[in-house]
């Protein structure tokens, strides 16, 4: 037995009971901080997504059902990703701004049924482009400025259908300013822009591309998405997006890029979003399916960590599950 040590600082005192731990807890996770990504398709019936167990490409009826379940659990925002039939894909990606297309139809149905739901849309050409790239392609080059005018048409199409927030995920230079100008010119001053500010050229998107059959046919996305090696460059992108009028900045992926979230948190006063992407989802799902991880505990810890790093809101395929688990906690 050692004599009582003189030790004024005993951090364990603040961990002694659940009530005390609750008082000193620095980060909270709430269902209304989640944005639920949903895949949609034309026609009746939902289709399971082989590369993302537990996720489906939803018919419009399926979409309404998911949205209503999410709302009932306190998740009040969704973001839509369309699976576009191969025959509607083209090098010019015209389908991206078809007013009778899948996304505008889905927005209209959602907003009619659930006006209180925040509907985010993805602005990028990859689901519509037969090249599978986020921008127009010419001789293997992803065209920047030509792409921007197509993105503006796409964002306007979403705004006219009633989208609350458009989220450019394409990483073209100057697109946030161009979208803001195009939206304002049509009077959509209240449609917000959530910019994928630091979107990395990540291998963690693989399962998502499987879900939409949207992998690039040639080459990769490294001439527009960011190099995973770079952090300062994210600050540069954030400065530009902020100056161009972004309302929310996003970091993607989330878990492997917590340092980027933390740095952006210091650098901007804008709200920050982080996207827990398909590969992050799949790693947890796969490990849980083989009994190697406790899914519930790991999901909640991963989301809490993203929030602790500085994200205000998290896009996560676990939105409904996490909301349910938070209720039970
Ligand atoms: C495309 C887009 C991608 C994701 C969201 N929007 C894929 C990509 O850039 O290739 C990935 C999301 C995920 O992996 O969950 N603009």
């Amino acid at each position: 037995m050692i004599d009582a040590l003189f030790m004024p600082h005993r951090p364990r005192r603040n961990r002694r009971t659940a009530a005390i731990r609750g008082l000193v807890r620095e980060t909270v996770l709430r269902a209304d901080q989640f944005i639920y990504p949903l895949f949609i398709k034309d026609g009746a019936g939902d289709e399971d997504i082989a590369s993302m167990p537990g996720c489906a490409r939803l018919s419009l009826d399926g979409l309404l059902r998911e949205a209503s379940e999410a709302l009932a659990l306190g998740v009040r925002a969704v973001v839509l990703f369309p699976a576009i039939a191969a025959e509607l894909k083209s090098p010019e990606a015209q389908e991206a701004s078809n007013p009778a297309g899948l996304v505008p139809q889905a927005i209209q149905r959602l907003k009619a049924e659930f006006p209180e739901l925040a509907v985010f849309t993805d602005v990028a050409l990859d689901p519509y482009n037969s090249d599978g790239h986020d921008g127009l392609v010419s001789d293997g080059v992803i065209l920047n400025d030509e792409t921007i005018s197509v993105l503006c048409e796409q964002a306007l199409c979403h705004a006219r259908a009633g989208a609350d927030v458009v989220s450019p995920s394409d990483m073209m230079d100057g697109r946030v300013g161009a979208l803001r100008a195009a939206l304002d010119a049509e009077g959509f001053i209240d449609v917000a822009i959530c910019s994928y500010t630091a979107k990395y050229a990540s291998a963690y998107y693989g399962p998502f591309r499987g879900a939409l059959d949207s992998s690039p046919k040639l080459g990769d996305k490294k001439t527009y998405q960011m190099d995973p090696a770079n952090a300062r460059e994210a600050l540069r992108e954030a400065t530009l997006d902020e100056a161009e009028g972004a309302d929310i900045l996003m970091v993607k992926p989330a878990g492997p890029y917590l340092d980027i979230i933390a740095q952006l948190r210091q650098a901007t006063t804008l709200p920050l979003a982080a996207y827990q992407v398909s590969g992050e989802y799949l790693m947890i799902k796969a490990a849980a399916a083989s009994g190697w991880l406790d899914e519930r505990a790991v999901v909640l810890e991963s989301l809490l960590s993203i929030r602790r790093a500085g994200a205000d809101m998290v896009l996560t395929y676990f939105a409904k599950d996490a909301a349910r688990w938070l209720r039970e906690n």
Side-chain angles (χ1 to χ4, degrees), residues 37 39 52 81 122-127 132-134 167-171 196 199-200 202 204-209 212 214-216 221 224-225 252-253 275-281 317:
F39 298 100
M52 297 179 67
F81 293 102
D122 197 67
V123 173
L125 302 184
D126 51 316
H133 277 289
D134 292 29
S167 319
S169 69
D170 56 289
M171 291 302 279
Y196 286 66
K199 178 174 179 178
Y200 286 89
S202 171
Y204 287 88
Y205 308 149
F208 174 99
R209 293 179 189 167
L212 296 187
S214 62
S215 294
K221 299 193 173 185
Y224 47 109
Q225 298 181 348
K252 176 186 177 182
Y275 197 149
Q276 184 180 52
V277 300
S278 56
E280 301 177 74
Y281 171 82
Y317 301 99

Side-chain angles (χ1 to χ4, degrees), residues 243-301:
E244 290 176 33
D247 299 281
I248 300 170
L249 304 184
M250 196 197 297
V251 174
K252 176 186 177 182
Y257 294 82
L258 295 183
D259 58 323
I260 307 299
I261 299 173
Q263 288 192 44
L264 286 200
R265 181 65 293 156
Q266 299 300 317
T268 180
T269 56
L270 286 174
L272 279 186
Y275 197 149
Q276 184 180 52
V277 300
S278 56
E280 301 177 74
Y281 171 82
L282 189 67
M283 290 195 307
I284 296 176
K285 276 285 179 197
S290 47
W292 289 334
L293 278 183
D294 174 343
E295 180 173 0
R296 171 190 163 131
V298 171
V299 166
L300 292 177
E301 185 176 331

